[in-house]
Amino acid sequence: QVQLVESGGGLVQAGGSLRLSCAASGRTFRNYPMGWFRQAPGKEREFVCRITQSGSSSYYGDSVKGRFTVSRDNAKNTMYLQMTSLKPEDTAVYYCVALRLYNSRSENVRYWGQGTQVTVSS
């Protein structure tokens, strides 16, 4: 089993930046593609990004493309989400996920983190 623990959320002004971290337990971290989802108030859960097991490739949802960067350090069992040029519409709970397969479907998520709140003020 893999436990995912997010950190780094908080309050930031529009145009600012935040870096989220996701620490994974266990030795199997490298076996999973990973990613981030988010859920804003009154909205459905939304795909943010995904990254391959090795970190060699990544993919982003249209709403964050060009502003967010996902990376992972398998030696540290940690994944990161660097968020820049934040907008109020980025306000959401952000969830770290371990994926069964490398796709963007929420049904494909094997493990969910507890979520961390990101609030962007205008």
Side-chain angles (χ1 to χ4, degrees), residues 3 11-12 16 18 20 26-27 31-32 43-44 59-60 73 78-79 85-86 96 112 118-119:
Q3 184 177 16
L11 175 65
V12 64
L18 280 175
L20 305 183
R27 301 176 182 176
N31 293 336
Y32 297 98
K43 298 184 68 177
E44 298 295 319
Y59 183 79
Y60 300 87
D73 186 339
T78 304
M79 179 178 63
S85 301
L86 283 162
C96 170
W112 294 86
V118 172
T119 303

Side-chain angles (χ1 to χ4, degrees), residues 2-9 20-24 36-37 39 45 93-97 111-117:
V2 174
Q3 184 177 16
L4 306 173
V5 180
E6 300 109 331
S7 61
L20 305 183
S21 298
C22 173
W36 296 87
F37 283 77
Q39 188 165 24
R45 192 161 293 179
V93 176
Y94 284 72
Y95 297 92
C96 170
V97 298
Y111 300 106
W112 294 86
Q114 82 286 352
T116 186
Q117 177 70 47

Side-chain angles (χ1 to χ4, degrees), residues 6-120:
E6 300 109 331
S7 61
L11 175 65
V12 64
Q13 277 194 310
S17 300
L18 280 175
R19 190 193 194 203
L20 305 183
S21 298
C22 173
S25 66
R27 301 176 182 176
T28 61
F29 178 76
R30 293 184 299 273
N31 293 336
Y32 297 98
M34 302 284 291
W36 296 87
F37 283 77
R38 68 185 184 185
Q39 188 165 24
K43 298 184 68 177
E44 298 295 319
R45 192 161 293 179
E46 177 188 18
F47 168 76
V48 175
C49 63
R50 61 181 189 251
I51 187 167
T52 57
Q53 292 97 316
S54 68
S56 62
S57 184
S58 58
Y59 183 79
Y60 300 87
D62 289 341
S63 62
V64 306
K65 194 173 299 181
R67 300 187 297 119
F68 292 9
T69 302
V70 63
S71 61
R72 66 192 294 168
D73 186 339
N74 289 342
K76 297 180 179 178
N77 289 341
T78 304
M79 179 178 63
Y80 306 96
L81 182 64
Q82 180 66 51
M83 305 185 294
T84 62
S85 301
L86 283 162
K87 305 174 181 179
E89 50 263 45
D90 294 318
T91 295
V93 176
Y94 284 72
Y95 297 92
C96 170
V97 298
L99 304 171
R100 295 182 177 91
L101 299 172
Y102 191 60
N103 66 49
S104 305
R105 299 177 61 194
S106 61
E107 306 95 282
N108 183 56
V109 174
R110 181 163 185 175
Y111 300 106
W112 294 86
Q114 82 286 352
T116 186
Q117 177 70 47
V118 172
T119 303
V120 184

